Amino acid sequence: MAEYLVLIYENENDYKNAGPNVYTEVMEAHGRFSEKYGAELKGGNALHHADTATTIRGDVVTDGPFVESKEILGGYYVIEAADLDHALEIAKAVPARFGGVEVRPVMVFDGS
């Protein structure tokens, strides 16, 4: 089994403009996802809004995210899957109402 990072990118403004029930619906969808794939989930978290980000390039620190983008990294899951196809099957079920997800294998180092 290998580990994969599932990055959730969404448009934060869509949440701000949505009705009050949307956040509840999305959180319930994440709960259902966690229940269904609990055995494969190794961790995950939501992130605060992008306006709380701080970016460091070299020794320069700036407020906010570095990249201007419509979709912002809003959370992630670490999953364990047999292979990339299995990881993609799981990732397709990740709630991302206002965007999409990116799946990347986690590097394993042999310790040397």
Side-chain angles (χ1 to χ4, degrees), residues 16-53:
K16 291 176 186 175
N17 298 327
N21 62 329
V22 169
Y23 183 78
T24 301
E25 291 172 2
V26 170
M27 294 313 296
E28 288 172 352
H30 280 282
R32 289 188 301 275
F33 172 80
S34 296
E35 287 176 22
K36 182 173 182 177
Y37 293 103
E40 290 93 346
L41 291 179
K42 300 302 169 196
N45 281 300
L47 303 175
H48 284 280
H49 290 283
D51 61 3
T52 66

PDB file of all heavy atoms in Angstrom, residues 16-53:
ATOM      1  N   LYS A  16     -18.432  32.133   0.152  1.00  0.00           N
ATOM      2  CA  LYS A  16     -18.894  33.399   0.724  1.00  0.00           C
ATOM      3  C   LYS A  16     -20.230  33.817   0.116  1.00  0.00           C
ATOM      4  O   LYS A  16     -21.059  34.424   0.790  1.00  0.00           O
ATOM      5  CB  LYS A  16     -17.853  34.494   0.488  1.00  0.00           C
ATOM      6  CG  LYS A  16     -16.585  34.307   1.278  1.00  0.00           C
ATOM      7  CD  LYS A  16     -15.566  35.379   0.927  1.00  0.00           C
ATOM      8  CE  LYS A  16     -14.247  35.113   1.609  1.00  0.00           C
ATOM      9  NZ  LYS A  16     -13.199  36.059   1.193  1.00  0.00           N
ATOM     10  N   ASN A  17     -20.425  33.502  -1.171  1.00  0.00           N
ATOM     11  CA  ASN A  17     -21.646  33.906  -1.873  1.00  0.00           C
ATOM     12  C   ASN A  17     -22.770  32.887  -1.772  1.00  0.00           C
ATOM     13  O   ASN A  17     -23.901  33.172  -2.176  1.00  0.00           O
ATOM     14  CB  ASN A  17     -21.334  34.164  -3.352  1.00  0.00           C
ATOM     15  CG  ASN A  17     -20.339  35.292  -3.532  1.00  0.00           C
ATOM     16  OD1 ASN A  17     -20.318  36.237  -2.763  1.00  0.00           O
ATOM     17  ND2 ASN A  17     -19.502  35.187  -4.550  1.00  0.00           N
ATOM     18  N   ALA A  18     -22.500  31.724  -1.247  1.00  0.00           N
ATOM     19  CA  ALA A  18     -23.505  30.662  -1.148  1.00  0.00           C
ATOM     20  C   ALA A  18     -24.417  30.906   0.053  1.00  0.00           C
ATOM     21  O   ALA A  18     -24.087  31.653   0.968  1.00  0.00           O
ATOM     22  CB  ALA A  18     -22.820  29.309  -1.012  1.00  0.00           C
ATOM     23  N   GLY A  19     -25.526  30.236   0.037  1.00  0.00           N
ATOM     24  CA  GLY A  19     -26.459  30.327   1.158  1.00  0.00           C
ATOM     25  C   GLY A  19     -25.867  29.688   2.412  1.00  0.00           C
ATOM     26  O   GLY A  19     -24.907  28.921   2.348  1.00  0.00           O
ATOM     27  N   PRO A  20     -26.439  29.986   3.568  1.00  0.00           N
ATOM     28  CA  PRO A  20     -25.893  29.496   4.837  1.00  0.00           C
ATOM     29  C   PRO A  20     -25.914  27.977   4.976  1.00  0.00           C
ATOM     30  O   PRO A  20     -25.126  27.412   5.734  1.00  0.00           O
ATOM     31  CB  PRO A  20     -26.772  30.147   5.906  1.00  0.00           C
ATOM     32  CG  PRO A  20     -28.003  30.592   5.186  1.00  0.00           C
ATOM     33  CD  PRO A  20     -27.622  30.808   3.754  1.00  0.00           C
ATOM     34  N   ASN A  21     -26.770  27.315   4.226  1.00  0.00           N
ATOM     35  CA  ASN A  21     -26.859  25.861   4.352  1.00  0.00           C
ATOM     36  C   ASN A  21     -25.750  25.135   3.587  1.00  0.00           C
ATOM     37  O   ASN A  21     -25.506  23.950   3.825  1.00  0.00           O
ATOM     38  CB  ASN A  21     -28.226  25.378   3.869  1.00  0.00           C
ATOM     39  CG  ASN A  21     -28.461  25.702   2.404  1.00  0.00           C
ATOM     40  OD1 ASN A  21     -27.966  26.702   1.906  1.00  0.00           O
ATOM     41  ND2 ASN A  21     -29.233  24.879   1.732  1.00  0.00           N
ATOM     42  N   VAL A  22     -25.055  25.824   2.690  1.00  0.00           N
ATOM     43  CA  VAL A  22     -24.042  25.167   1.859  1.00  0.00           C
ATOM     44  C   VAL A  22     -22.896  24.626   2.708  1.00  0.00           C
ATOM     45  O   VAL A  22     -22.451  23.490   2.527  1.00  0.00           O
ATOM     46  CB  VAL A  22     -23.518  26.117   0.759  1.00  0.00           C
ATOM     47  CG1 VAL A  22     -22.295  25.545   0.073  1.00  0.00           C
ATOM     48  CG2 VAL A  22     -24.621  26.371  -0.246  1.00  0.00           C
ATOM     49  N   TYR A  23     -22.398  25.424   3.657  1.00  0.00           N
ATOM     50  CA  TYR A  23     -21.301  24.966   4.502  1.00  0.00           C
ATOM     51  C   TYR A  23     -21.706  23.705   5.261  1.00  0.00           C
ATOM     52  O   TYR A  23     -20.943  22.743   5.328  1.00  0.00           O
ATOM     53  CB  TYR A  23     -20.877  26.071   5.481  1.00  0.00           C
ATOM     54  CG  TYR A  23     -19.702  25.670   6.340  1.00  0.00           C
ATOM     55  CD1 TYR A  23     -18.412  25.688   5.833  1.00  0.00           C
ATOM     56  CD2 TYR A  23     -19.887  25.254   7.662  1.00  0.00           C
ATOM     57  CE1 TYR A  23     -17.332  25.314   6.613  1.00  0.00           C
ATOM     58  CE2 TYR A  23     -18.816  24.881   8.446  1.00  0.00           C
ATOM     59  CZ  TYR A  23     -17.534  24.907   7.921  1.00  0.00           C
ATOM     60  OH  TYR A  23     -16.476  24.527   8.693  1.00  0.00           O
ATOM     61  N   THR A  24     -22.918  23.683   5.787  1.00  0.00           N
ATOM     62  CA  THR A  24     -23.408  22.503   6.502  1.00  0.00           C
ATOM     63  C   THR A  24     -23.470  21.299   5.569  1.00  0.00           C
ATOM     64  O   THR A  24     -23.036  20.198   5.929  1.00  0.00           O
ATOM     65  CB  THR A  24     -24.796  22.784   7.108  1.00  0.00           C
ATOM     66  OG1 THR A  24     -24.683  23.897   8.006  1.00  0.00           O
ATOM     67  CG2 THR A  24     -25.330  21.575   7.840  1.00  0.00           C
ATOM     68  N   GLU A  25     -23.977  21.494   4.360  1.00  0.00           N
ATOM     69  CA  GLU A  25     -24.057  20.395   3.390  1.00  0.00           C
ATOM     70  C   GLU A  25     -22.674  19.849   3.054  1.00  0.00           C
ATOM     71  O   GLU A  25     -22.485  18.630   2.978  1.00  0.00           O
ATOM     72  CB  GLU A  25     -24.739  20.878   2.106  1.00  0.00           C
ATOM     73  CG  GLU A  25     -26.207  21.172   2.258  1.00  0.00           C
ATOM     74  CD  GLU A  25     -26.792  21.839   1.018  1.00  0.00           C
ATOM     75  OE1 GLU A  25     -26.058  22.033   0.018  1.00  0.00           O
ATOM     76  OE2 GLU A  25     -27.986  22.180   1.057  1.00  0.00           O
ATOM     77  N   VAL A  26     -21.710  20.744   2.866  1.00  0.00           N
ATOM     78  CA  VAL A  26     -20.354  20.314   2.513  1.00  0.00           C
ATOM     79  C   VAL A  26     -19.721  19.559   3.680  1.00  0.00           C
ATOM     80  O   VAL A  26     -19.088  18.516   3.488  1.00  0.00           O
ATOM     81  CB  VAL A  26     -19.495  21.521   2.082  1.00  0.00           C
ATOM     82  CG1 VAL A  26     -18.034  21.135   1.957  1.00  0.00           C
ATOM     83  CG2 VAL A  26     -20.012  22.081   0.766  1.00  0.00           C
ATOM     84  N   MET A  27     -19.887  20.052   4.894  1.00  0.00           N
ATOM     85  CA  MET A  27     -19.310  19.366   6.055  1.00  0.00           C
ATOM     86  C   MET A  27     -19.950  17.990   6.241  1.00  0.00           C
ATOM     87  O   MET A  27     -19.263  17.023   6.590  1.00  0.00           O
ATOM     88  CB  MET A  27     -19.446  20.222   7.315  1.00  0.00           C
ATOM     89  CG  MET A  27     -18.636  21.513   7.265  1.00  0.00           C
ATOM     90  SD  MET A  27     -16.916  21.313   6.689  1.00  0.00           S
ATOM     91  CE  MET A  27     -16.235  20.307   7.954  1.00  0.00           C
ATOM     92  N   GLU A  28     -21.241  17.887   6.002  1.00  0.00           N
ATOM     93  CA  GLU A  28     -21.907  16.584   6.079  1.00  0.00           C
ATOM     94  C   GLU A  28     -21.375  15.645   4.994  1.00  0.00           C
ATOM     95  O   GLU A  28     -21.184  14.447   5.242  1.00  0.00           O
ATOM     96  CB  GLU A  28     -23.419  16.758   5.950  1.00  0.00           C
ATOM     97  CG  GLU A  28     -24.049  17.383   7.176  1.00  0.00           C
ATOM     98  CD  GLU A  28     -25.520  17.735   6.997  1.00  0.00           C
ATOM     99  OE1 GLU A  28     -26.048  17.633   5.870  1.00  0.00           O
ATOM    100  OE2 GLU A  28     -26.145  18.134   8.003  1.00  0.00           O
ATOM    101  N   ALA A  29     -21.098  16.177   3.812  1.00  0.00           N
ATOM    102  CA  ALA A  29     -20.522  15.363   2.736  1.00  0.00           C
ATOM    103  C   ALA A  29     -19.133  14.856   3.114  1.00  0.00           C
ATOM    104  O   ALA A  29     -18.785  13.701   2.852  1.00  0.00           O
ATOM    105  CB  ALA A  29     -20.464  16.162   1.434  1.00  0.00           C
ATOM    106  N   HIS A  30     -18.337  15.707   3.760  1.00  0.00           N
ATOM    107  CA  HIS A  30     -17.018  15.257   4.226  1.00  0.00           C
ATOM    108  C   HIS A  30     -17.169  14.181   5.310  1.00  0.00           C
ATOM    109  O   HIS A  30     -16.380  13.241   5.369  1.00  0.00           O
ATOM    110  CB  HIS A  30     -16.188  16.435   4.742  1.00  0.00           C
ATOM    111  CG  HIS A  30     -15.543  17.218   3.651  1.00  0.00           C
ATOM    112  ND1 HIS A  30     -14.399  16.794   3.002  1.00  0.00           N
ATOM    113  CD2 HIS A  30     -15.886  18.390   3.079  1.00  0.00           C
ATOM    114  CE1 HIS A  30     -14.068  17.687   2.081  1.00  0.00           C
ATOM    115  NE2 HIS A  30     -14.950  18.662   2.104  1.00  0.00           N
ATOM    116  N   GLY A  31     -18.160  14.312   6.150  1.00  0.00           N
ATOM    117  CA  GLY A  31     -18.423  13.289   7.161  1.00  0.00           C
ATOM    118  C   GLY A  31     -18.770  11.950   6.524  1.00  0.00           C
ATOM    119  O   GLY A  31     -18.267  10.900   6.937  1.00  0.00           O
ATOM    120  N   ARG A  32     -19.625  11.983   5.500  1.00  0.00           N
ATOM    121  CA  ARG A  32     -19.970  10.745   4.794  1.00  0.00           C
ATOM    122  C   ARG A  32     -18.753  10.148   4.093  1.00  0.00           C
ATOM    123  O   ARG A  32     -18.550   8.931   4.105  1.00  0.00           O
ATOM    124  CB  ARG A  32     -21.102  10.997   3.788  1.00  0.00           C
ATOM    125  CG  ARG A  32     -22.447  11.256   4.437  1.00  0.00           C
ATOM    126  CD  ARG A  32     -23.580  11.300   3.422  1.00  0.00           C
ATOM    127  NE  ARG A  32     -23.409  12.329   2.403  1.00  0.00           N
ATOM    128  CZ  ARG A  32     -23.778  13.602   2.534  1.00  0.00           C
ATOM    129  NH1 ARG A  32     -24.351  14.013   3.662  1.00  0.00           N
ATOM    130  NH2 ARG A  32     -23.610  14.452   1.546  1.00  0.00           N
ATOM    131  N   PHE A  33     -17.915  11.000   3.498  1.00  0.00           N
ATOM    132  CA  PHE A  33     -16.683  10.532   2.857  1.00  0.00           C
ATOM    133  C   PHE A  33     -15.788   9.840   3.891  1.00  0.00           C
ATOM    134  O   PHE A  33     -15.268   8.750   3.647  1.00  0.00           O
ATOM    135  CB  PHE A  33     -15.940  11.709   2.206  1.00  0.00           C
ATOM    136  CG  PHE A  33     -14.586  11.344   1.693  1.00  0.00           C
ATOM    137  CD1 PHE A  33     -14.436  10.690   0.478  1.00  0.00           C
ATOM    138  CD2 PHE A  33     -13.443  11.641   2.427  1.00  0.00           C
ATOM    139  CE1 PHE A  33     -13.181  10.339   0.004  1.00  0.00           C
ATOM    140  CE2 PHE A  33     -12.194  11.300   1.965  1.00  0.00           C
ATOM    141  CZ  PHE A  33     -12.060  10.641   0.750  1.00  0.00           C
ATOM    142  N   SER A  34     -15.619  10.459   5.049  1.00  0.00           N
ATOM    143  CA  SER A  34     -14.781   9.883   6.107  1.00  0.00           C
ATOM    144  C   SER A  34     -15.317   8.549   6.602  1.00  0.00           C
ATOM    145  O   SER A  34     -14.545   7.627   6.883  1.00  0.00           O
ATOM    146  CB  SER A  34     -14.662  10.864   7.282  1.00  0.00           C
ATOM    147  OG  SER A  34     -13.992  12.026   6.877  1.00  0.00           O
ATOM    148  N   GLU A  35     -16.622   8.449   6.721  1.00  0.00           N
ATOM    149  CA  GLU A  35     -17.230   7.176   7.139  1.00  0.00           C
ATOM    150  C   GLU A  35     -16.988   6.093   6.100  1.00  0.00           C
ATOM    151  O   GLU A  35     -16.643   4.961   6.436  1.00  0.00           O
ATOM    152  CB  GLU A  35     -18.727   7.356   7.375  1.00  0.00           C
ATOM    153  CG  GLU A  35     -19.067   8.117   8.633  1.00  0.00           C
ATOM    154  CD  GLU A  35     -20.559   8.349   8.779  1.00  0.00           C
ATOM    155  OE1 GLU A  35     -21.361   7.604   8.165  1.00  0.00           O
ATOM    156  OE2 GLU A  35     -20.937   9.277   9.514  1.00  0.00           O
ATOM    157  N   LYS A  36     -17.158   6.421   4.825  1.00  0.00           N
ATOM    158  CA  LYS A  36     -17.020   5.435   3.761  1.00  0.00           C
ATOM    159  C   LYS A  36     -15.573   4.978   3.582  1.00  0.00           C
ATOM    160  O   LYS A  36     -15.317   3.803   3.335  1.00  0.00           O
ATOM    161  CB  LYS A  36     -17.548   6.016   2.441  1.00  0.00           C
ATOM    162  CG  LYS A  36     -17.493   5.025   1.294  1.00  0.00           C
ATOM    163  CD  LYS A  36     -18.167   5.564   0.042  1.00  0.00           C
ATOM    164  CE  LYS A  36     -18.139   4.529  -1.062  1.00  0.00           C
ATOM    165  NZ  LYS A  36     -18.839   4.999  -2.259  1.00  0.00           N
ATOM    166  N   TYR A  37     -14.623   5.903   3.690  1.00  0.00           N
ATOM    167  CA  TYR A  37     -13.220   5.580   3.411  1.00  0.00           C
ATOM    168  C   TYR A  37     -12.345   5.634   4.664  1.00  0.00           C
ATOM    169  O   TYR A  37     -11.133   5.807   4.566  1.00  0.00           O
ATOM    170  CB  TYR A  37     -12.671   6.516   2.335  1.00  0.00           C
ATOM    171  CG  TYR A  37     -13.325   6.297   1.002  1.00  0.00           C
ATOM    172  CD1 TYR A  37     -14.294   7.168   0.529  1.00  0.00           C
ATOM    173  CD2 TYR A  37     -12.991   5.196   0.229  1.00  0.00           C
ATOM    174  CE1 TYR A  37     -14.910   6.955  -0.697  1.00  0.00           C
ATOM    175  CE2 TYR A  37     -13.604   4.969  -0.993  1.00  0.00           C
ATOM    176  CZ  TYR A  37     -14.558   5.856  -1.449  1.00  0.00           C
ATOM    177  OH  TYR A  37     -15.163   5.627  -2.661  1.00  0.00           O
ATOM    178  N   GLY A  38     -12.938   5.453   5.822  1.00  0.00           N
ATOM    179  CA  GLY A  38     -12.191   5.533   7.078  1.00  0.00           C
ATOM    180  C   GLY A  38     -10.972   4.632   7.142  1.00  0.00           C
ATOM    181  O   GLY A  38      -9.936   5.012   7.684  1.00  0.00           O
ATOM    182  N   ALA A  39     -11.054   3.442   6.570  1.00  0.00           N
ATOM    183  CA  ALA A  39      -9.926   2.509   6.612  1.00  0.00           C
ATOM    184  C   ALA A  39      -8.752   3.024   5.791  1.00  0.00           C
ATOM    185  O   ALA A  39      -7.593   2.746   6.113  1.00  0.00           O
ATOM    186  CB  ALA A  39     -10.352   1.131   6.106  1.00  0.00           C
ATOM    187  N   GLU A  40      -9.037   3.772   4.733  1.00  0.00           N
ATOM    188  CA  GLU A  40      -7.983   4.280   3.867  1.00  0.00           C
ATOM    189  C   GLU A  40      -7.456   5.647   4.303  1.00  0.00           C
ATOM    190  O   GLU A  40      -6.382   6.061   3.889  1.00  0.00           O
ATOM    191  CB  GLU A  40      -8.471   4.390   2.418  1.00  0.00           C
ATOM    192  CG  GLU A  40      -8.695   3.058   1.739  1.00  0.00           C
ATOM    193  CD  GLU A  40     -10.129   2.555   1.839  1.00  0.00           C
ATOM    194  OE1 GLU A  40     -10.922   3.083   2.650  1.00  0.00           O
ATOM    195  OE2 GLU A  40     -10.472   1.618   1.106  1.00  0.00           O
ATOM    196  N   LEU A  41      -8.196   6.359   5.152  1.00  0.00           N
ATOM    197  CA  LEU A  41      -7.796   7.704   5.573  1.00  0.00           C
ATOM    198  C   LEU A  41      -6.723   7.633   6.649  1.00  0.00           C
ATOM    199  O   LEU A  41      -6.871   6.953   7.651  1.00  0.00           O
ATOM    200  CB  LEU A  41      -8.989   8.489   6.105  1.00  0.00           C
ATOM    201  CG  LEU A  41     -10.043   8.889   5.099  1.00  0.00           C
ATOM    202  CD1 LEU A  41     -11.174   9.643   5.799  1.00  0.00           C
ATOM    203  CD2 LEU A  41      -9.454   9.727   3.998  1.00  0.00           C
ATOM    204  N   LYS A  42      -5.650   8.357   6.430  1.00  0.00           N
ATOM    205  CA  LYS A  42      -4.559   8.416   7.401  1.00  0.00           C
ATOM    206  C   LYS A  42      -4.493   9.772   8.078  1.00  0.00           C
ATOM    207  O   LYS A  42      -3.751   9.964   9.023  1.00  0.00           O
ATOM    208  CB  LYS A  42      -3.220   8.107   6.716  1.00  0.00           C
ATOM    209  CG  LYS A  42      -3.192   6.727   6.086  1.00  0.00           C
ATOM    210  CD  LYS A  42      -3.460   5.668   7.128  1.00  0.00           C
ATOM    211  CE  LYS A  42      -3.717   4.318   6.519  1.00  0.00           C
ATOM    212  NZ  LYS A  42      -4.321   3.395   7.459  1.00  0.00           N
ATOM    213  N   GLY A  43      -5.255  10.722   7.579  1.00  0.00           N
ATOM    214  CA  GLY A  43      -5.294  12.061   8.168  1.00  0.00           C
ATOM    215  C   GLY A  43      -5.901  13.038   7.201  1.00  0.00           C
ATOM    216  O   GLY A  43      -6.200  12.706   6.063  1.00  0.00           O
ATOM    217  N   GLY A  44      -6.052  14.252   7.658  1.00  0.00           N
ATOM    218  CA  GLY A  44      -6.579  15.307   6.819  1.00  0.00           C
ATOM    219  C   GLY A  44      -7.080  16.449   7.664  1.00  0.00           C
ATOM    220  O   GLY A  44      -7.359  16.281   8.847  1.00  0.00           O
ATOM    221  N   ASN A  45      -7.132  17.612   7.053  1.00  0.00           N
ATOM    222  CA  ASN A  45      -7.606  18.803   7.748  1.00  0.00           C
ATOM    223  C   ASN A  45      -8.099  19.826   6.753  1.00  0.00           C
ATOM    224  O   ASN A  45      -7.676  19.843   5.595  1.00  0.00           O
ATOM    225  CB  ASN A  45      -6.473  19.450   8.571  1.00  0.00           C
ATOM    226  CG  ASN A  45      -6.236  18.737   9.868  1.00  0.00           C
ATOM    227  OD1 ASN A  45      -7.130  18.638  10.702  1.00  0.00           O
ATOM    228  ND2 ASN A  45      -5.037  18.228  10.053  1.00  0.00           N
ATOM    229  N   ALA A  46      -8.960  20.701   7.237  1.00  0.00           N
ATOM    230  CA  ALA A  46      -9.340  21.891   6.480  1.00  0.00           C
ATOM    231  C   ALA A  46      -8.343  22.982   6.842  1.00  0.00           C
ATOM    232  O   ALA A  46      -7.732  22.952   7.914  1.00  0.00           O
ATOM    233  CB  ALA A  46     -10.756  22.313   6.859  1.00  0.00           C
ATOM    234  N   LEU A  47      -8.169  23.929   5.956  1.00  0.00           N
ATOM    235  CA  LEU A  47      -7.260  25.051   6.190  1.00  0.00           C
ATOM    236  C   LEU A  47      -8.067  26.337   6.332  1.00  0.00           C
ATOM    237  O   LEU A  47      -9.156  26.462   5.770  1.00  0.00           O
ATOM    238  CB  LEU A  47      -6.281  25.188   5.021  1.00  0.00           C
ATOM    239  CG  LEU A  47      -5.439  23.947   4.726  1.00  0.00           C
ATOM    240  CD1 LEU A  47      -4.597  24.177   3.476  1.00  0.00           C
ATOM    241  CD2 LEU A  47      -4.554  23.603   5.912  1.00  0.00           C
ATOM    242  N   HIS A  48      -7.517  27.300   7.089  1.00  0.00           N
ATOM    243  CA  HIS A  48      -8.148  28.613   7.176  1.00  0.00           C
ATOM    244  C   HIS A  48      -8.115  29.270   5.801  1.00  0.00           C
ATOM    245  O   HIS A  48      -7.351  28.867   4.923  1.00  0.00           O
ATOM    246  CB  HIS A  48      -7.419  29.492   8.190  1.00  0.00           C
ATOM    247  CG  HIS A  48      -7.725  29.131   9.604  1.00  0.00           C
ATOM    248  ND1 HIS A  48      -8.870  29.538  10.251  1.00  0.00           N
ATOM    249  CD2 HIS A  48      -7.044  28.390  10.498  1.00  0.00           C
ATOM    250  CE1 HIS A  48      -8.879  29.069  11.474  1.00  0.00           C
ATOM    251  NE2 HIS A  48      -7.780  28.360  11.652  1.00  0.00           N
ATOM    252  N   HIS A  49      -8.912  30.306   5.616  1.00  0.00           N
ATOM    253  CA  HIS A  49      -8.988  31.013   4.331  1.00  0.00           C
ATOM    254  C   HIS A  49      -7.608  31.500   3.894  1.00  0.00           C
ATOM    255  O   HIS A  49      -6.711  31.744   4.715  1.00  0.00           O
ATOM    256  CB  HIS A  49      -9.952  32.194   4.430  1.00  0.00           C
ATOM    257  CG  HIS A  49     -11.378  31.759   4.566  1.00  0.00           C
ATOM    258  ND1 HIS A  49     -12.101  31.302   3.496  1.00  0.00           N
ATOM    259  CD2 HIS A  49     -12.194  31.684   5.640  1.00  0.00           C
ATOM    260  CE1 HIS A  49     -13.315  30.972   3.898  1.00  0.00           C
ATOM    261  NE2 HIS A  49     -13.393  31.189   5.200  1.00  0.00           N
ATOM    262  N   ALA A  50      -7.445  31.674   2.598  1.00  0.00           N
ATOM    263  CA  ALA A  50      -6.161  32.068   2.012  1.00  0.00           C
ATOM    264  C   ALA A  50      -5.674  33.414   2.530  1.00  0.00           C
ATOM    265  O   ALA A  50      -4.462  33.655   2.579  1.00  0.00           O
ATOM    266  CB  ALA A  50      -6.262  32.106   0.495  1.00  0.00           C
ATOM    267  N   ASP A  51      -6.569  34.290   2.964  1.00  0.00           N
ATOM    268  CA  ASP A  51      -6.113  35.589   3.455  1.00  0.00           C
ATOM    269  C   ASP A  51      -5.370  35.486   4.787  1.00  0.00           C
ATOM    270  O   ASP A  51      -4.818  36.461   5.270  1.00  0.00           O
ATOM    271  CB  ASP A  51      -7.268  36.594   3.533  1.00  0.00           C
ATOM    272  CG  ASP A  51      -8.387  36.177   4.468  1.00  0.00           C
ATOM    273  OD1 ASP A  51      -8.287  35.133   5.137  1.00  0.00           O
ATOM    274  OD2 ASP A  51      -9.396  36.911   4.518  1.00  0.00           O
ATOM    275  N   THR A  52      -5.331  34.286   5.383  1.00  0.00           N
ATOM    276  CA  THR A  52      -4.542  34.076   6.597  1.00  0.00           C
ATOM    277  C   THR A  52      -3.158  33.511   6.287  1.00  0.00           C
ATOM    278  O   THR A  52      -2.350  33.332   7.188  1.00  0.00           O
ATOM    279  CB  THR A  52      -5.251  33.101   7.564  1.00  0.00           C
ATOM    280  OG1 THR A  52      -5.313  31.808   6.953  1.00  0.00           O
ATOM    281  CG2 THR A  52      -6.648  33.597   7.920  1.00  0.00           C
ATOM    282  N   ALA A  53      -2.889  33.244   5.007  1.00  0.00           N
ATOM    283  CA  ALA A  53      -1.621  32.628   4.609  1.00  0.00           C
ATOM    284  C   ALA A  53      -0.467  33.619   4.681  1.00  0.00           C
ATOM    285  O   ALA A  53      -0.640  34.820   4.519  1.00  0.00           O
ATOM    286  CB  ALA A  53      -1.723  32.080   3.185  1.00  0.00           C
TER     287      ALA A  53
END
